Amino acid sequence: MSGIKDKVVVITGASSGIGEATALLLAERGAKVVLGARRADRLEALAARIAGAGGETAHARTDVKRREDLSNLVKLACERYGKLDVLVNNAGVMPVSPLDDLRVEDWEEMIDVNIKGVLYGIAAALPVFREQGFGHFVNIASTAGHRTVPNQSVYSGTKFAVRAISEGLRQEAGDKLRVTIISPGLVRTNFAEGVTNPEVKAQLAASRDKFAMPPDAIARAIAFALEQPADVDVNEVVIRPTAQV
């Protein structure tokens, strides 16, 4: 039997990209998926698609910059299904640019979503996991959390932070909770739409079209981590496009 069946999984950033692909795959494998994202119309469409295929799902508009939204999403999962098995901290933004551009609002957005959003998710789910005596955090970092390149220093810094926070959480978690970091390379999503520097935006779009991975590849990595038996921990999965140099 799949280790995913009947698990209750909260996914942030679920309306597109990695989050959407993960929701569809886990629901197909029998999970009860609780979806959060800012775009309510896309959430509703995804929930209808999952329900139409026979899956179980709930959803709520969620802005991970608001701690209350994360608390409410976790509360929805517990009230609807009686427990929470997994929190996938997936929501993230990538409005990268050279530091010389001084796009400070973009820097703040990356810090608020990529770092504080993960922390708010941990704050919402950790007490539930402790009370239950089980739970699994899956935090989406990036290969940018392993290596910094020009134009991506702030984004890279946020993903280094996600890895550091996740590793610290793992060390504090004890033997009842699990923590998995997923560090993808370039993924074929709409991330370039948020890039405000035209030159960098064009470069990223060209790279995406050349060698980016499909979101399904990341969803399969998340599913793999969830399927492992209790005595097997998947600490981190790093996924790179084979064509990338």
Side-chain angles (χ1 to χ4, degrees):
M1 180 181 292
S2 169
I4 291 172
K5 184 173 173 56
D6 293 325
K7 282 186 175 177
V8 178
V9 183
V10 165
I11 304 169
T12 67
S15 62
S16 64
I18 294 170
E20 179 182 25
T22 301
L24 291 168
L25 179 62
L26 298 186
E28 180 183 318
R29 296 189 183 183
K32 301 174 176 67
V33 292
V34 181
L35 313 175
R38 287 183 288 191
R39 292 176 290 183
D41 56 338
R42 290 188 62 98
L43 269 184
E44 292 170 3
L46 176 59
R49 182 177 173 188
I50 290 170
E56 292 192 62
T57 186
H59 66 281
R61 186 185 185 280
T62 304
D63 183 347
V64 299
K65 294 187 292 184
R66 292 169 48 87
R67 182 178 176 185
E68 181 181 3
D69 283 11
L70 269 301
S71 297
N72 288 338
L73 191 64
V74 167
K75 184 178 179 181
L76 172 63
C78 294
E79 289 180 346
R80 182 71 58 89
Y81 298 116
K83 63 172 182 172
L84 175 63
D85 293 286
V86 183
L87 171 63
V88 181
N89 275 312
N90 166 70
V93 293
M94 191 183 173
V96 297
S97 61
L99 289 172
D100 279 320
D101 281 5
L102 298 180
R103 298 178 189 265
V104 178
E105 291 184 357
D106 288 348
W107 303 350
E108 292 173 337
E109 180 76 359
M110 284 186 277
I111 290 167
D112 288 346
V113 174
N114 298 355
I115 300 178
K116 292 171 70 175
V118 169
L119 288 170
Y120 290 161
I122 291 169
L126 185 56
V128 175
F129 287 168
R130 290 297 192 197
E131 184 176 355
Q132 293 175 161
F134 62 88
H136 192 167
F137 290 99
V138 179
N139 296 335
I140 308 302
S142 169
T143 54
H146 293 257
R147 176 174 177 264
T148 305
V149 298
N151 303 324
Q152 296 186 23
S153 56
V154 178
Y155 174 74
S156 181
T158 67
K159 293 303 185 177
F160 268 90
V162 170
R163 294 187 65 241
I165 292 164
S166 301
E167 183 55 35
L169 177 61
R170 184 195 336 279
Q171 293 177 24
E172 296 179 21
D175 59 0
K176 296 184 183 300
L177 308 188
R178 308 170 89 178
V179 182
T180 297
I181 307 165
I182 304 291
S183 289
L186 198 60
V187 182
R188 196 176 304 127
T189 66
N190 60 357
F191 67 88
E193 293 177 5
V195 177
T196 50
N197 179 292
E199 183 179 349
V200 174
K201 183 173 185 176
Q203 291 171 352
L204 284 173
S207 296
R208 178 194 61 198
D209 295 342
K210 184 177 181 181
F211 54 72
M213 301 174 290
D216 295 30
I218 319 306
R220 290 194 298 271
I222 294 170
F224 170 79
L226 269 55
E227 287 174 331
Q228 301 313 301
D231 59 347
V232 176
D233 280 333
V234 180
N235 292 343
E236 182 168 15
V237 181
V238 180
I239 314 162
R240 292 184 175 89
T242 55
Q244 188 172 1
V245 295

